[in-house]
Amino acid sequence: MEYCFGVDIGGTTVKIGLFRTDGELIDKWEIKTRTENKGEAILPDVADALKKKMEEKEIKASQLSGIGIGIPAPVDGDGVVQNTANLGWGYKEVRREMEELTGMKVAAGNDANVAALGEMWLGAGKGHKDLIMVTLGTGVGGGVIVNGQPLTGAHGAGGEIGHLCVNYEEEEHCGCGKQGCLEQYASATGIARLARKRLAADDTASVLRDKETIDAKAVFDALKEGDRLSEEIVEEFGRYLGYAMANLAAVTDPSVIVIGGGVSKAGSILLGYIEKYFAEKVFFANKETKFVLAKLGNDAGICGAARLIL
Amino acid sequence: MEYCFGVDIGGTTVKIGLFRTDGELIDKWEIKTRTENKGEAILPDVADALKKKMEEKEIKASQLSGIGIGIPAPVDGDGVVQNTANLGWGYKEVRREMEELTGMKVAAGNDANVAALGEMWLGAGKGHKDLIMVTLGTGVGGGVIVNGQPLTGAHGAGGEIGHLCVNYEEEEHCGCGKQGCLEQYASATGIARLARKRLAADDTASVLRDKETIDAKAVFDALKEGDRLSEEIVEEFGRYLGYAMANLAAVTDPSVIVIGGGVSKAGSILLGYIEKYFAEKVFFANKETKFVLAKLGNDAGICGAARLIL
């Protein structure tokens, strides 16, 4: 087999990549995610897009290993989702439906697990078989790779790192309904929340006080300018995330932890604040675990999806 | 293949089981663990014991799938240990050495992971592919099974559940050097520690005050007699363990959590105190996760070791 497709289904667009099976990305493009009518057009739209690309590139079905698909929801080992609100789906047998639509072999997985697989195959985790990827975006997503395979779990909900409870004293609620989730401290939204709370606590001077919008980028920009109060905020972020990663490492024993998502655009300055607190709480057997920044950006999803089928 | 051996190497004895490959335990026995001279006799002693048993039962090598071995230390995917103080071993290629000694196929794994595999195969986790086993003994051991396979990790240290930090305010140290490890609250030793602290805190009446020795058994016995102070202690134990299991479930998404070890002899009363706090902090996708008591007792190790080779 020479080729495979990686499909990353999101709430607004579907990203698609055509890969050689050695990992070379030959072509990538996007189509709109039509979520209306319970998202019934999404998979047929993807199937059409793949068929047209095969005609355009003169690729036959016999040259394709198949299609890997990443989905923003828990996906079980049979490629079934129970409910994917942001795509309009209820119960859906994604693998079976897509195999019927295309006649090709299909594999499906959770988008965060799939992104982790992508970084392992072609990105910051190359050469590793046991890794964790943490995606610091609007929320905190997680993917755990064990011996080269995504940790799917009994309900397809493995690697929900964002909902580890890291503070049993927290009074505000996470979007999931719980209190004290990692996502409340380490996501872009969480960092902005920490900043607002810190600013309200006293009158300490900070360049953040002159900003119209306090978001994660503003905090990291201020940190790089030497703003002391911003450093306090980033220390707090690093403590929650570093401690959580030390606990995660005791369970899954990764050789590398990949940090991705919008917040990771702050760059390598970020890693120091995580590593410092990780080192404080790490179990001795995991002390060699390295932290690295993700490399593939938005392509991690299509890369990992493609890897899923190989 | 009709048969296989399961070998569970401990610091004082080696337990050995001869199994049919369908799971029937045909014979089990123990030999002494000779740890002197850096434990150099341990593997040859095991090899001799297996050879004698094969002669006794008139079993030929061609009828054997091989030998699985559980070891009280991190074991990597190649069956190598770095240092096993309680056996006298330094770096040791267990799989290779045992294959050379016996001419048979060998697999090796960490004893806690192997016990979890045993409960999955023949015990309380039968029919499950994703499970966690927590062994509440002198320490807290853990084994995580993902899609039917033990989570080994990059350094063979996967599933070190006892060293999850569950209390960042703790001032006393765990045996591992860290502070606030689950083991400090949920092991037999940890429960005794909680009891001593609670008794010292004030003068509340308790039948525990008349005991010469305050250990985990005394606490659970008192609980069953309706002792209020003992109930407070068990609530605290349940809170730490239940909360930790909720975090673990968010990462590995098991369908069942098996509770074993000496403390689990308290019986099913134990589970209620764990489930109550688990339910408080569980992520919605994991709320169907069940708790059960281990069934195999000391045989979990030989059963799981045998399963390792199948």
Side-chain angles (χ1 to χ4, degrees):
Chain A
M1 303 289 185
E2 291 167 68
Y3 305 100
C4 59
F5 284 115
V7 179
D8 180 16
I9 304 183
T12 51
T13 62
V14 180
K15 297 181 180 65
I16 309 179
L18 171 64
F19 292 80
R20 298 187 67 95
T21 50
D22 64 5
E24 190 191 340
L25 177 60
I26 293 171
D27 197 3
K28 65 172 177 172
W29 73 103
E30 295 185 5
I31 62 173
K32 200 175 165 306
T33 308
R34 291 197 288 152
T35 57
E36 59 269 25
N37 297 323
K38 298 190 174 170
E40 64 180 19
I42 297 174
L43 292 182
D45 284 354
V46 172
D48 281 349
L50 301 184
K51 198 176 294 177
K52 278 182 197 147
K53 186 61 62 178
M54 287 166 67
E55 285 165 9
E56 177 197 325
K57 301 279 184 188
E58 298 183 354
I59 293 173
K60 297 189 200 95
S62 61
Q63 294 173 281
L64 275 157
S65 295
I67 304 159
I69 307 180
I71 298 163
V75 183
D76 73 16
D78 298 320
V80 174
V81 299
Q82 295 300 327
N83 195 338
T84 313
N86 50 353
L87 301 183
W89 291 352
Y91 174 90
K92 200 166 192 73
E93 300 180 3
V94 177
R95 186 172 77 189
R96 189 187 55 73
E97 284 192 31
M98 198 65 183
E99 284 182 344
E100 287 177 11
L101 285 165
T102 62
M104 281 188 274
K105 197 177 138 204
V106 174
N110 167 263
D111 58 354
N113 288 341
V114 160
L117 200 59
E119 289 287 346
M120 181 191 82
W121 190 34
L122 301 172
K126 238 182 187 171
H128 294 271
K129 289 192 307 177
D130 296 278
L131 69 84
I132 294 171
M133 180 169 174
V134 188
T135 303
L136 307 173
T138 313
V140 170
V144 176
I145 305 292
V146 172
N147 199 22
Q149 298 296 323
L151 196 169
T152 301
H155 314 92
E160 284 287 357
I161 294 171
H163 300 286
L164 290 173
C165 184
V166 295
N167 179 6
Y168 292 103
E169 314 299 322
E170 180 60 68
E171 293 179 354
E172 294 184 26
H173 285 80
C174 176
C176 78
K178 296 201 303 165
Q179 289 158 295
C181 291
L182 179 60
E183 185 159 299
Q184 292 180 278
Y185 311 92
S187 63
T189 327
I191 294 167
R193 190 181 75 98
L194 291 180
R196 285 194 304 273
K197 286 184 78 164
R198 179 61 192 88
L199 287 165
D202 62 31
D203 293 335
T204 306
S206 168
V207 299
L208 289 179
R209 297 197 188 274
D210 305 324
K211 305 278 180 192
E212 268 187 40
T213 315
I214 307 286
D215 56 16
K217 185 175 183 307
V219 172
F220 282 102
D221 286 348
L223 170 74
K224 289 172 190 171
E225 290 168 29
D227 186 66
R228 294 283 291 274
L229 186 135
S230 292
E231 179 155 36
E232 284 182 40
I233 298 163
V234 177
E235 291 275 0
E236 194 176 359
F237 152 87
R239 182 165 55 82
Y240 280 116
L241 186 52
Y243 284 3
M245 291 302 111
N247 270 358
L248 259 186
V251 180
T252 73
D253 186 20
S255 49
V256 69
I257 298 177
V258 180
I259 307 290
V263 172
S264 72
K265 289 182 184 154
S268 55
I269 191 172
L270 191 79
L271 300 183
Y273 290 91
I274 308 170
E275 287 165 342
K276 170 181 166 183
Y277 291 98
F278 179 81
E280 261 185 30
K281 292 291 176 195
V282 69
F283 185 56
F284 70 87
N286 311 118
K287 63 182 193 304
E288 305 294 336
T289 306
K290 302 277 177 262
F291 285 82
V292 295
L293 292 171
K295 279 188 181 165
L296 302 178
N298 289 332
D299 286 352
I302 54 172
C303 293
R307 181 67 179 76
L308 209 54
I309 197 67
L310 295 178
Chain B
M1 304 290 184
E2 291 168 68
Y3 305 100
C4 58
F5 283 114
V7 178
D8 181 16
I9 303 182
T12 51
T13 62
V14 179
K15 298 183 179 63
I16 309 179
L18 171 64
F19 293 81
R20 297 187 67 93
T21 51
D22 64 5
E24 190 192 339
L25 176 59
I26 293 171
D27 197 3
K28 64 172 177 173
W29 72 103
E30 295 185 6
I31 62 173
K32 200 174 164 309
T33 308
R34 292 198 287 153
T35 55
E36 60 268 26
N37 297 323
K38 297 190 174 170
E40 64 180 19
I42 298 174
L43 293 181
D45 284 354
V46 172
D48 281 348
L50 301 183
K51 197 177 293 177
K52 280 182 195 145
K53 186 61 64 180
M54 287 167 67
E55 285 164 10
E56 177 197 324
K57 301 279 184 189
E58 298 183 355
I59 293 172
K60 298 188 200 97
S62 62
Q63 293 173 283
L64 275 157
S65 294
I67 304 158
I69 307 179
I71 298 163
V75 183
D76 74 16
D78 297 320
V80 174
V81 299
Q82 294 300 326
N83 195 338
T84 313
N86 50 354
L87 300 183
W89 292 352
Y91 174 90
K92 201 167 190 72
E93 299 180 4
V94 177
R95 186 172 77 190
R96 190 188 54 74
E97 284 192 32
M98 198 64 182
E99 285 182 343
E100 287 177 9
L101 284 164
T102 62
M104 282 189 274
K105 197 178 137 203
V106 174
N110 168 263
D111 58 355
N113 288 341
V114 160
L117 199 60
E119 289 287 346
M120 180 191 85
W121 190 34
L122 300 171
K126 238 181 187 173
H128 294 271
K129 289 191 307 175
D130 297 278
L131 70 84
I132 293 170
M133 179 169 176
V134 188
T135 303
L136 307 173
T138 314
V140 171
V144 176
I145 305 291
V146 171
N147 199 23
Q149 298 296 323
L151 197 170
T152 301
H155 314 92
E160 284 286 358
I161 294 171
H163 300 286
L164 289 174
C165 185
V166 296
N167 179 6
Y168 292 104
E169 314 299 322
E170 180 61 68
E171 292 178 356
E172 294 184 25
H173 284 81
C174 176
C176 79
K178 295 202 303 165
Q179 289 157 296
C181 290
L182 179 59
E183 185 159 299
Q184 291 181 277
Y185 311 91
S187 64
T189 328
I191 294 167
R193 190 181 74 99
L194 292 180
R196 284 194 305 273
K197 286 184 76 165
R198 178 62 193 86
L199 286 165
D202 61 31
D203 294 334
T204 306
S206 168
V207 298
L208 289 179
R209 296 197 187 274
D210 305 326
K211 305 279 179 191
E212 267 186 41
T213 314
I214 307 287
D215 57 16
K217 185 175 183 309
V219 173
F220 281 103
D221 286 348
L223 170 74
K224 289 172 190 170
E225 290 167 29
D227 186 65
R228 294 284 290 275
L229 185 135
S230 293
E231 180 157 34
E232 282 182 41
I233 298 163
V234 176
E235 290 277 359
E236 194 177 358
F237 153 86
R239 183 165 55 84
Y240 280 116
L241 186 53
Y243 284 3
M245 291 302 111
N247 270 359
L248 258 187
V251 181
T252 73
D253 186 21
S255 49
V256 68
I257 297 177
V258 180
I259 308 289
V263 173
S264 72
K265 290 182 183 153
S268 55
I269 191 171
L270 190 80
L271 299 183
Y273 289 91
I274 307 171
E275 286 165 343
K276 169 181 166 185
Y277 291 98
F278 179 80
E280 260 186 30
K281 292 292 176 194
V282 70
F283 184 56
F284 69 88
N286 311 117
K287 64 182 193 303
E288 305 295 336
T289 306
K290 302 280 177 260
F291 285 82
V292 294
L293 292 172
K295 279 188 182 165
L296 302 178
N298 288 333
D299 286 351
I302 55 173
C303 293
R307 181 69 179 75
L308 209 53
I309 197 67
L310 295 177

